[in-house]
Amino acid sequence: MFEKIVQMSLLYDFYGQLLTKKQQQVLGLYYNDDLSLGEIAEQLGVSRQAVYDTIKRSEKLLFEYEKKLKLVYKFSVTKKQIEEILKIIEKIEHNKYEKELFVLEEIKKIQDIAYDILEK
Amino acid sequence: MFEKIVQMSLLYDFYGQLLTKKQQQVLGLYYNDDLSLGEIAEQLGVSRQAVYDTIKRSEKLLFEYEKKLKLVYKFSVTKKQIEEILKIIEKIEHNKYEKELFVLEEIKKIQDIAYDILEK
C-alpha cells in the first residue's frame, strides 16, 4: 500500500493539474489527507460509491497520462543520475589528498552523466 | 517564426502524445516536415480551412498543457543548470594545474546545483 501511495503521489504531482477540480479534491483527500472513502463521502455529501468511482477514474487517467508521456519515469532516471553525481562529489571530497589524476577521472564521470541527462 | 517553431516543437515533444492521432499527423506535417497548409490539405484530402483549424486547435491544446504542467519550462531550467555544471567542469579541466583548493570550491558549486535540481 505504501508503495502505491508514493507512486500515486508522484503521478498526482506531475499530472494532477490535468484532472478536474472535483477529481483533484477527492484524490487529495484520499492520498494526501489519508481520509477513508466513507469520510470523504460524508465531507462532500455524496455516496461512498461515487467517491470510489471518482478515485478509480482519476487513478486510471493518471496512469494513462504516464503511459503516454512517461514523465515520472524520465524524472526518476534523471534523479538517479543527479544522485550519482552527488556520490562522485562526496568521493572526491573524501579523497581530496589523493593525487590529482583521481580527481580528474571522477570529474570526467560527472561530465559524462551531465551530457547523458542533456541528451535525453 | 523560427522561435515559434522551436517552441511548438518542444511543446509537441512533451505533450504531443496527448493529442489525437489526426492532430499529431497534421502538426507533424506542418512543423516537422515544413509543409504548407495547402500541401497538407491536398495530402490528407481535406480543406485548407480544416487543416488551419486543426493546427490552431492543437496549438491551443499544447499551450494549455504547458500552462497547467509547466514541464517545458522546468525542463529548460534543469537544462541550464546541467550546462552550468558542464561549464564548471571545463573550467576545472583547464585549470588542472592550479592548486587543489580551487578544484574543491568548484566541486562545491556543482554539488549545490545538483541539490537544487533534486529539490525542484
Side-chain angles (χ1 to χ4, degrees):
Chain A
M1 186 59 189
F2 177 70
E3 205 170 302
K4 189 184 174 193
I5 292 177
V6 171
Q7 188 190 22
M8 289 313 303
S9 174
L10 260 177
L11 288 173
Y12 186 72
D13 277 353
F14 273 83
Y15 307 118
Q17 290 299 317
L18 298 180
L19 299 176
T20 66
K21 289 293 160 205
K22 189 77 184 175
Q23 289 168 334
Q24 288 179 37
Q25 185 185 28
V26 172
L27 271 206
L29 291 170
Y30 190 62
Y31 281 113
N32 299 340
D33 303 343
D34 205 25
L35 296 191
S36 71
L37 295 183
E39 287 167 331
I40 298 172
E42 203 183 323
Q43 185 164 328
L44 301 181
V46 298
S47 70
R48 195 181 171 287
Q49 182 63 39
V51 173
Y52 178 81
D53 290 345
T54 301
I55 291 172
K56 286 300 140 194
R57 169 87 186 124
S58 308
E59 287 180 352
K60 189 164 173 277
L61 280 171
L62 294 179
F63 279 117
E64 279 169 10
Y65 288 130
E66 175 61 10
K67 201 176 161 194
K68 285 180 179 165
L69 305 186
K70 294 178 188 60
L71 297 170
V72 173
Y73 169 73
K74 286 178 189 164
F75 166 76
S76 77
V77 172
T78 303
K79 191 164 176 267
K80 269 184 206 142
Q81 290 174 307
I82 298 289
E83 282 165 353
E84 207 178 317
I85 287 179
L86 287 169
K87 262 187 215 152
I88 295 173
I89 290 175
E90 224 172 274
K91 202 166 135 195
I92 295 176
E93 287 177 338
H94 284 160
N95 289 278
K96 57 188 170 198
Y97 301 111
E98 290 285 334
K99 56 181 183 288
E100 191 180 275
L101 188 63
F102 162 81
V103 173
L104 290 174
E105 273 167 6
E106 296 301 307
I107 293 280
K108 183 75 188 51
K109 284 183 201 166
I110 294 177
Q111 196 176 31
D112 288 345
I113 296 170
Y115 276 123
D116 207 39
I117 294 173
L118 281 189
E119 273 160 23
K120 269 200 318 251
Chain B
M1 185 60 187
F2 177 70
E3 206 170 301
K4 189 184 174 193
I5 292 176
V6 171
Q7 188 190 22
M8 289 314 304
S9 173
L10 260 176
L11 289 173
Y12 185 73
D13 277 352
F14 273 84
Y15 307 119
Q17 289 300 316
L18 297 180
L19 300 175
T20 65
K21 289 293 161 209
K22 189 76 183 175
Q23 290 168 333
Q24 288 179 37
Q25 185 185 28
V26 173
L27 272 206
L29 291 171
Y30 190 62
Y31 281 113
N32 299 339
D33 301 344
D34 204 26
L35 296 192
S36 71
L37 295 182
E39 287 168 331
I40 299 172
E42 202 184 324
Q43 185 164 325
L44 302 181
V46 297
S47 70
R48 195 182 171 287
Q49 183 63 41
V51 173
Y52 178 82
D53 291 345
T54 301
I55 290 172
K56 286 300 142 192
R57 169 86 186 126
S58 307
E59 288 180 352
K60 192 165 172 276
L61 280 171
L62 293 180
F63 279 117
E64 279 170 9
Y65 287 131
E66 175 61 9
K67 201 176 160 194
K68 285 181 180 165
L69 304 187
K70 296 178 185 61
L71 297 171
V72 174
Y73 169 73
K74 287 178 189 165
F75 166 76
S76 76
V77 173
T78 302
K79 190 164 176 268
K80 270 183 206 141
Q81 290 175 308
I82 298 289
E83 282 165 354
E84 209 178 315
I85 287 179
L86 287 169
K87 263 186 214 153
I88 296 172
I89 290 174
E90 226 172 90
K91 202 166 135 196
I92 296 176
E93 287 178 338
H94 285 159
N95 288 279
K96 57 188 170 200
Y97 301 110
E98 291 285 334
K99 56 180 184 287
E100 191 180 274
L101 188 64
F102 163 81
V103 173
L104 290 173
E105 273 167 8
E106 296 302 307
I107 293 281
K108 182 77 187 49
K109 285 183 201 167
I110 295 177
Q111 195 175 32
D112 288 344
I113 296 170
Y115 275 122
D116 207 38
I117 294 173
L118 280 189
E119 273 160 24
K120 270 200 318 252

